[in-house]
Structures are given as C-alpha cells and as structure tokens.
Amino acid sequence: MKQNKKALVVFSGGLDSTVALYWAMNNYELVETVSFNYGSKHNEQEHAHALKTCKKLGVKNTCIDLDFMNQYFKSDLLKSGGEIPEGAYNADNMSSTVVPFRNGIMLSIAAGLAESKSLDVLVLGNHSGDHTIYPDCRPEFIAGITEAIFQGTCNNVEVVSPFCNITKTDIVKLGKELGVDFALTYSCYKGGELHCGKCGTCQERIEAFQEAGVKDPTNYI
Amino acid sequence: MKQNKKALVVFSGGLDSTVALYWAMNNYELVETVSFNYGSKHNEQEHAHALKTCKKLGVKNTCIDLDFMNQYFKSDLLKSGGEIPEGAYNADNMSSTVVPFRNGIMLSIAAGLAESKSLDVLVLGNHSGDHTIYPDCRPEFIAGITEAIFQGTCNNVEVVSPFCNITKTDIVKLGKELGVDFALTYSCYKGGELHCGKCGTCQERIEAFQEAGVKDPTNYI
C-alpha cells in the first residue's frame, strides 16, 4: 500500500540509491530523483547509469552541479584528489575517500528543492556498512539532519533512510525482490567504463552479491 | 580571552553577519569567512560590501557559486522570483522571500569547507527577529543542524549561533560596542546601489538603529 506522499530520492546511479529508488516507487505515490555532479572521479559514469534507470522507470531527474566541492574540498574521491585506494572496503583503507559532509550537503540541497517542488519526503540510500568509514552515513547524523530539515522547511520535509540499519548484502537481496536491473548500476570509484574490480567499492559490491547469493551481472576488467 | 579555535563565519555582508564576524574575531584565534552567490537580487551588492569589510579586517573570504538555487528554487528574493515586498518586516509580508532551506544549505557547505580546511567552528548570524518568518533561523533548526554537523564531520565541527536569542536592535548595540563600520554593511533586498528604505529588510534596519539609539550611517534613496 503506497503512502499518499511525494518523494525525492537522492540518486547517484550506484547500487544502494538505485535500490532506494525502486523501494520509494513501491512506497510513495509520486517519485522524483535528484543527482549531484560534485567532481568525483566516477561522477560521469554514475550519472550516465542513473539516467538509464530513470529512463527505464519513467522517473524525472534533476542534476545539480556542485563545482565548488572539487575546487575547495579535500578528498581522494574527487578529481582534484589523489589515487583511489585498492583493497578492502574498511575505514583504514577508505578514509581518504571521505568527501567532507557530502550527505549533509546533498540532503540540504534536496530539502530546498523538495520545498520548492512541494514534495514531502527525501529518501537517502545510506547503509550500515558505511558507518565506520563515513560519519555522514551514521544514525546520529541522520537523526540530526532529519530534525534540521523537518524544522527548517516551511512544509516540514521528512527524511527517510530505509537502509540505515541494514547491510549492502541485504540491499542486494531487497533489490532482487524489487526487480532492480543491477546491470544499470555503477559503483567503481575509479570511474572507468568498466568496473575495476579492485577498489574498495568494487570489492564491497562483489562481496555483497556473493553473500546475497544473487548473480552479479557486472563486467569487471 | 580568545578561544584557541579556528572559526569560519557565514558572511553575506549584511548587518547581522558583519557583527557576527567582529564577534568571532573577538572570540577565536583565527577567523575566515565564506559567502554564497545564490542568485538573490541583492547578492552582488551584499558581496561587494562583504569584501570591503574583509579587506578592512584582513580576513580571508571564499565565495561559492550556487547557481542551482536561482534556477530551481522558488522565492521572490531570487532574480528568478517576483517583486520584493515593501512595508513591515513580518511573516505575512516577507514570506515570499523565504529561500527554501537556505541556511541549511549554507551551513552544510560551510561544514564541508571547515572540515577540508581543519577549522573548528561555524558562526551564523541568525537572530530572534527572523524566527517567525524563516524556519531555518529557529532554535529547533539550529539544534538539529548543530547535531548533524557535529556528528557528520570527521573533526566534529561545532555550530555557534551567538545571536539566536537576541534581536536585531541588540545586534546593532553589540556592533557599536565592537566598533563595526556599519556603513560597509548592506541589507536592501532590492539590490540597488543605495538602500531603498521601503522593503521589509530596510524597514527592519531603520527600526533597529532607531531602537538601539545608534546613528544610522545608511544613505537611503
């Protein structure tokens, strides 16, 4: 049973936010998406994938340029930063890929956009596996920004984080149930045409499919 | 006695944020400023004034373009919006000038910038007279965003809102004590070279100087 609400999904084209989009379409009467071009090495590939999924689902996308992040922020995920680390998806290995307060910035802009468009709900696809690495994925951050956005918007926009306490493996299982076309999702932090299979996010993606017992349709180099 | 912390002031060049800047310079060892070009009708005039104050005080300014706000957001404060209302600075009259979640967006970007620059504190010059009009100026919003930014940044950036519970009249009195050059501040929402004296913010500015018993150096049309 869908809620009579309009949702805006923060949608990168990655695996998590694609499943979040399918989840939102099952839960809300109307769904739109917003994407951000913030100068990450994989932004172009991610967004091309995002647009394919939007086209497949008939969903509207607004893409917002945030050039200042690549210019002023420090992170190896950005084009202005160093090399993407290879190996395990854990805090030691991936900390250089933190983009300072990225989710706070994206959710805040999405909140303003939602108020402008009279949308009721923001959906973010963060999950529990991100907590140790990225402070702006943790439940304490989500609680604070949820309160800030509810109180700070004229129409009391609600933040919903459906995967905050589940793992990427659970997300793959849910995506399978929801009929997600995983081949249209993109995860690799290196941003090449094919997934590298070696960076932390590729490793995490491979493991999630294996643990979920779901066939991984990704072509790795 | 200054705290051994580095502060980033959200600085528009308006009266409130200029006093906040002087306040911060009295309270923190190092102070920088960040401004936003978000397409308001008075952005150019505000920022020109901001740069004059920064030059006078020897303070660094980073100006960040947020073109998407003028493009996608609905507000009469924006160039893409309707006429600026004239008359009293109250909720009925000024509600069309709300820019959806503007302070949330500015503080979030400032948080990411502060983390990238290893700064400790964000200072915002919102005051109690804004509460009824702008939801993203209220104490409940400030509490939520403070928690979100503290929890969501690797260096636990702190948000400080020194004027949250005082009036603009009190801010003028404090500015006088701190030696603020009020002639270098700009308030008019219409964005002309001279303050119009008729819009809500000009009215509020005139009243604050009168009530504070401080000479208003502004040249109104």
Side-chain angles (χ1 to χ4, degrees), chain B residues 131-174:
Chain B
H131 295 177
T132 52
I133 308 169
Y134 302 103
D136 59 347
C137 287
R138 293 177 193 152
E140 298 81 2
F141 159 75
I142 295 290
I145 200 79
T146 298
E147 181 68 6
I149 288 175
F150 183 84
Q151 297 289 350
T153 47
C154 292
N155 61 336
N156 295 126
V157 172
E158 186 186 343
V159 174
V160 174
S161 165
F163 310 151
C164 195
N165 295 310
I166 69 171
T167 65
K168 199 175 185 88
T169 299
D170 297 326
I171 294 175
V172 171
K173 287 179 185 168
L174 176 63

Side-chain angles (χ1 to χ4, degrees), chain A residues 174-188:
Chain A
L174 177 62
K176 170 87 174 170
E177 283 174 29
L178 294 171
V180 170
D181 187 347
F182 290 115
L184 298 186
T185 68
Y186 186 88
S187 300
C188 179

Side-chain angles (χ1 to χ4, degrees), chain A residues 78-149:
Chain A
L78 300 172
K79 288 168 186 159
S80 55
E83 291 289 309
I84 297 290
E86 296 190 347
Y89 189 78
N90 59 41
D92 282 351
N93 200 30
M94 299 298 285
S95 63
S96 73
T97 66
V98 172
V99 179
F101 211 57
R102 182 183 62 171
N103 283 346
I105 294 167
M106 291 180 178
L107 280 172
S108 293
I109 295 170
L113 191 63
E115 185 177 330
S116 291
K117 287 171 165 268
S118 299
L119 305 176
D120 311 296
V121 176
L122 298 181
V123 178
L124 185 75
N126 63 307
H127 65 81
S128 66
D130 296 331
H131 295 177
T132 52
I133 307 169
Y134 302 103
D136 59 348
C137 288
R138 293 175 193 154
E140 298 83 0
F141 159 76
I142 295 291
I145 200 80
T146 299
E147 181 68 5
I149 288 175

Side-chain angles (χ1 to χ4, degrees), chain A residues 16-31:
Chain A
D16 310 327
S17 66
T18 302
V19 179
L21 171 57
Y22 276 74
W23 177 89
M25 292 186 73
N26 265 26
N27 280 274
Y28 302 107
E29 283 296 335
L30 185 144
V31 175

